[in-house]
Amino acid sequence: MKFLAKINVMPQKEILDPQGKAVMIGLKNLGVQSLHEVRIGKHIELEVDADSETQAQEKVDFACKNLLANLIMEDYFFELEKKG
Amino acid sequence: MKFLAKINVMPQKEILDPQGKAVMIGLKNLGVQSLHEVRIGKHIELEVDADSETQAQEKVDFACKNLLANLIMEDYFFELEKKG
């Protein structure tokens, strides 16, 4: 079975996000008012073959822990979508 | 009303995504098999005050078009969530 994993890797809540701060200032300069918080992370989409949803979940979890996210500073969330 | 916008900015389908290719090679070297495609973009979360959902949508759309996404190479998608 083929699954599409949609992964978000975000800086942890307690950690300052300088890229988000920069974007917030940029948007204010462009005239976008009433913004409160901007946080920027990565969005990763990957297609993976697996025998079951559990196996796909394990693969994606392994990928996040070992390559995609830096767990000291980032959190990750993902959802799986069955394809075809 | 306060809205949380979850925005994904992704490289367009027709455009080569070298970062995604690099991650795919990295994951294969880590032993993750049966991967097909990896694409990497940005995930942006921003909190915005607006009188209505339509107004919030307009603000976020403006932000995407004018700062967050490079429409020549990237597409953006977002969803709004009402907060509190």
Side-chain angles (χ1 to χ4, degrees), chain A residues 8 10 27 32-49 59 62-63, chain B residues 8 10 27 32-49 59 62-63 68:
Chain A
N8 290 330
M10 298 297 288
L27 287 173
V32 185
Q33 300 302 320
S34 341
L35 286 176
H36 291 295
E37 221 200 327
V38 183
R39 294 187 81 76
I40 299 189
K42 285 175 286 187
H43 181 71
I44 301 145
E45 298 195 350
L46 57 87
E47 273 180 38
V48 61
D49 276 337
K59 279 187 183 186
F62 178 88
Chain B
N8 290 330
M10 298 298 287
L27 286 173
V32 183
Q33 300 302 320
S34 341
L35 286 176
H36 292 294
E37 220 199 325
V38 183
R39 293 189 80 78
I40 299 188
K42 284 176 286 187
H43 181 71
I44 301 146
E45 297 195 349
L46 56 86
E47 273 180 37
V48 61
D49 276 339
K59 279 187 185 191
F62 178 89
L68 300 173

Side-chain angles (χ1 to χ4, degrees), chain B residues 11-36:
Chain B
Q12 287 177 11
K13 282 243 156 58
E14 310 77 38
I15 285 178
L16 189 71
D17 176 11
Q19 207 187 350
K21 286 269 173 291
V23 162
M24 188 150 83
I25 294 168
L27 286 173
K28 284 197 173 157
N29 289 340
L30 282 174
V32 183
Q33 300 302 320
S34 341
L35 286 176
H36 292 294

Side-chain angles (χ1 to χ4, degrees), chain A residues 1-7 43-49 56 60 78-84, chain B residues 13 37-39:
Chain A
M1 286 183 284
K2 200 181 255 188
F3 294 89
L4 175 67
K6 297 182 174 185
I7 307 164
H43 181 71
I44 301 145
E45 298 195 350
L46 57 87
E47 273 180 38
V48 61
D49 276 337
V60 176
F78 67 88
E79 53 189 40
L80 287 174
E81 213 171 78
K82 206 172 155 179
K83 280 194 86 178
Chain B
K13 282 243 156 58
E37 220 199 325
V38 183
R39 293 189 80 78

Side-chain angles (χ1 to χ4, degrees), chain A residues 68-83:
Chain A
L68 301 174
N70 168 2
L71 297 181
I72 298 171
M73 299 175 64
E74 296 170 324
D75 290 324
Y76 65 90
F77 316 88
F78 67 88
E79 53 189 40
L80 287 174
E81 213 171 78
K82 206 172 155 179
K83 280 194 86 178

Side-chain angles (χ1 to χ4, degrees), chain B residues 70-82:
Chain B
N70 167 2
L71 297 181
I72 298 171
M73 301 174 63
E74 295 170 325
D75 289 324
Y76 66 89
F77 316 89
F78 67 87
E79 53 189 41
L80 285 174
E81 213 172 79
K82 205 171 156 181

